[in-house]
Amino acid sequence: MSQSKNTPPRTTPRFSATFDQFTISEIQRAAATGIYDIRGAGTKRKLPHFDDLLFLGASISRYPLEGYRERCDTDVVLGTRFAKKPIRLKTPVTVAGMSFGALSAQAKEALGRGASAVGTSTTTGDGGMTPEERGHSSILVYQYLPSRYGMNPDDLRRADAIEVVVGQGAKPGGGGMLLGQKISPRVAKMRNLPEGIDQRSACRHPDWTGPDDLEIKIEELREITGWEKPIYVKVGASRPYYDVSLAVKAGADVIVLDGMQGGTAATQEVFIEHVGLPILSAIRSAVQALQDLGMHRKVQLIVSGGIRSGADMAKALALGADAVAIGTAALIALGDQSPDLAEEYAKLGTVPGAYDDWQEGRDPAGITTQDPELASRLDPILGGRRIANYLSVMTMEAQAIARACGKSHLHNLEPEDLVSLTMEAAAMTKIPLAGTDWYPGKNGF
Amino acid sequence: MSATLSNHQAIDLRESTIRELNAVLQSEDVTGSWLVSHPEGRHSIAVGLTAPIDIIIDGQAGYYAGGMNQHANLVIKGNAGPGVAENMMSGSVRIEGNASMAAGATAHGGLLVIEGDAGARCGISMKGVNIVVRGSVGHMSAFMAQSGNLVVCGDAGDALGDSLYEARIFVRGTVKSLGADCEEKDMSAEDLQILRGLLEEAGITEYSAEHFRCYGSARRLYNFHVDNAAAY
């Protein structure tokens, strides 16, 4: 007691909200290394998302369909606008573009096996098509990227659809990146690069700029492939109303809209966290653009970026999308972030659930690596089964919701089935705030 | 000329569509020599070909003429628009006039000969093609070129070979400026032999290989280092 008279009381140590622990560690890291932080996966900040919407379900004014006994169809046809051979998916969830290089050959094979088992498609990535992924994917979308690594007309003709990649949600306006650790001899050969270098790839296509050129480019791709294949245009969510309008004008059959939650193999942290839109905020204006042009459901819309469940899928479809795509969720289904790997994650300075150094190629799950020993840990047959299970669960979840809303097809879900839980979600989607018939901006501000 | 041309199978683009033209030229049993008349700047002429046929395009071509060519040999008797012979895999494309931007972009193989000048970004991201330009090339030519050879008998514009990988560039005239990580190299005996072969293959006899300079990658940007950050 006598001491306390002489020592003034001290306040509890207080951390800054602005200079939080992550921010401090990032400043320290930057000062020590002189290079920006590069990592995989998508944005980690909290954003308005599908969780901010709810379905109303049936009531006296709407009647539901019986689970299991009354049909709720899930099929979707993509590419009906110009392609002679549109793609038919049994379920409106596809596997997004991820390259061999970013992922191991085993992971690509597993994705192909899983998607094929449930009747949906997978997508190549920056680096070309491997015979394995063509062999194991009954429906394969071939990405046409600025780098054109591994791009050749034989693979173009072998593909079931072509996706012209303008951008991706994790980095709208950014080019590809693959660090030297992952440029293995096979990856280097496919990309025509020296082994072990840090690959810098372009952010703009080399032979076209702007929507008028894109129209000519799409026509060339159609001419090369006999107007058979659906042509997708993929954009990162940034100005969705204009991007969708221009893609339609340029002749796209299908538009892929990827929000900032969408993953990446390797991108600057600052880019992942600070550029682009959350997918929830982008869907309405994309759908509006299609409706204004009279092209909704004629040019199909695939949305991606943080899709995790049948609920997310059902909400995206109710907002007007034709299908969704998953990337990060598929990797988790394969075994990424598994608690079984806690010890190995600890060696990499991380914990299950937070592992994002996909660019390093040291993935203990054998997914985001080119190391033969690590990659061999992933059994592509078992992995394929896990992907198929997960895709089936997503589909059944979406059907459960759709039946509860009285819909005999997932595509009959509509905005009227939804309410918003937050003002932000209501403003972004024009779905009324729960308990009201109002959203911000309705009848003017 | 009409005597030689009369031996060709003819397609008149005033009467046929681009789709009809390409469908014929892409068909599995196509053979021989073809004359495409009245191209009038149309886009995507003779793209996606796979057969070793000879094609003369009797005039100006628009975007992407000869795109993704495999095995066919094209001669364009006028100028060519952007992206001529883009992503060519094999065969040859010869342009008697000038070529617009991005000639030979991302091409993996074959020979592209431009008798006149080429615009900006000639040989951008080239992946193994050989390009011979009798005239000059515009800025950012051979940007991010990965492999293959670009031969320029005239001058090169700004930022030649920016962010170059393993392609070789030969220039006879002046280079306005070199791009990041591109440097002049000593011409080796192997370089000289490659250059002589390409000049000969392109039918260029008036210039001697000894009068060219050779440029390649300094390889300083292959692995990121903070001290080189200003070069990116």
Side-chain angles (χ1 to χ4, degrees), chain A residues 113-420:
Chain A
R113 286 176 179 274
S116 300
V118 301
T120 192
S121 58
T122 62
T123 312
T124 66
D126 201 359
M129 182 191 291
T130 65
E132 294 98 311
E133 71 180 325
R134 177 61 281 188
H136 292 292
S137 301
S138 55
I139 307 171
L140 183 59
V141 182
Y142 187 34
Q143 285 196 329
Y144 188 72
L145 292 125
S147 70
R148 313 274 166 89
Y149 292 131
M151 174 69 226
N152 75 69
D154 294 328
D155 287 339
L156 203 66
R157 287 184 280 260
R158 269 193 278 270
D160 298 294
I162 298 160
E163 182 170 299
V164 178
V165 179
V166 178
Q168 70 181 89
K171 47 177 165 181
M177 190 183 276
L178 197 64
L179 300 191
Q181 300 93 311
K182 293 173 84 169
I183 308 282
S184 69
R186 186 177 178 200
V187 172
K189 186 161 185 284
M190 275 181 73
R191 300 187 187 207
N192 194 263
L193 289 171
E195 282 174 37
I197 67 157
D198 292 340
Q199 171 209 300
R200 308 150 274 158
S201 52
C203 61
R204 290 199 306 271
H205 281 261
D207 57 354
W208 67 269
T209 336
D212 297 329
D213 282 5
L214 175 58
E215 184 170 354
I216 301 169
K217 173 52 71 177
I218 287 176
E219 189 176 284
E220 185 209 8
L221 294 171
R222 290 194 195 280
E223 281 295 322
I224 290 169
T225 52
W227 291 72
E228 283 184 355
K229 299 171 200 303
I231 302 217
Y232 300 11
V233 172
K234 178 174 180 174
V235 293
S238 59
R239 294 174 185 83
Y241 186 87
Y242 297 111
D243 287 341
V244 167
S245 301
L246 292 169
V248 169
K249 183 255 174 197
D253 290 306
V254 175
I255 292 162
V256 182
L257 180 67
D258 189 25
M260 72 182 294
Q261 298 98 328
T264 169
T267 298
Q268 300 92 324
E269 155 91 10
V270 70
F271 212 144
I272 298 173
E273 294 290 352
H274 297 279
V275 185
L277 296 180
I279 191 62
L280 186 71
S281 70
I283 299 176
R284 186 195 56 79
S285 36
V287 171
Q288 188 68 52
L290 292 170
Q291 288 169 337
D292 288 353
L293 293 165
M295 297 306 273
H296 190 220
R297 306 292 188 209
K298 294 176 185 162
V299 170
Q300 287 79 33
L301 176 68
I302 302 177
V303 305
S304 56
I307 302 279
R308 304 154 299 179
S309 64
D312 289 351
M313 171 157 98
K315 290 168 185 174
L317 298 182
L319 288 172
D322 295 274
V324 299
I326 56 166
T328 304
L331 302 189
I332 294 169
L334 276 182
D336 179 49
Q337 315 295 348
S338 167
D340 299 346
L341 299 168
E343 235 172 79
E344 299 200 58
Y345 283 139
K347 288 182 206 157
L348 300 172
T350 190
V351 293
Y355 177 59
D356 60 16
D357 284 325
W358 299 352
Q359 79 287 353
E360 287 182 345
R362 296 162 71 197
D363 182 1
I367 300 167
T368 59
T369 183
Q370 291 303 315
D371 180 290
E373 190 277 317
L374 293 173
S376 70
R377 296 180 184 184
L378 181 69
D379 176 349
I381 295 172
L382 187 62
R385 181 58 201 245
R386 292 176 63 89
I387 293 291
N389 284 346
Y390 174 60
L391 291 169
S392 297
V393 169
M394 281 185 75
T395 307
M396 289 189 289
E397 287 175 342
Q399 283 174 302
I401 288 170
R403 284 196 181 95
C405 295
K407 311 298 189 192
S408 60
H409 196 294
L410 292 182
H411 288 147
N412 295 345
L413 287 164
E414 55 194 322
E416 195 276 333
D417 293 315
L418 294 168
V419 292
S420 292

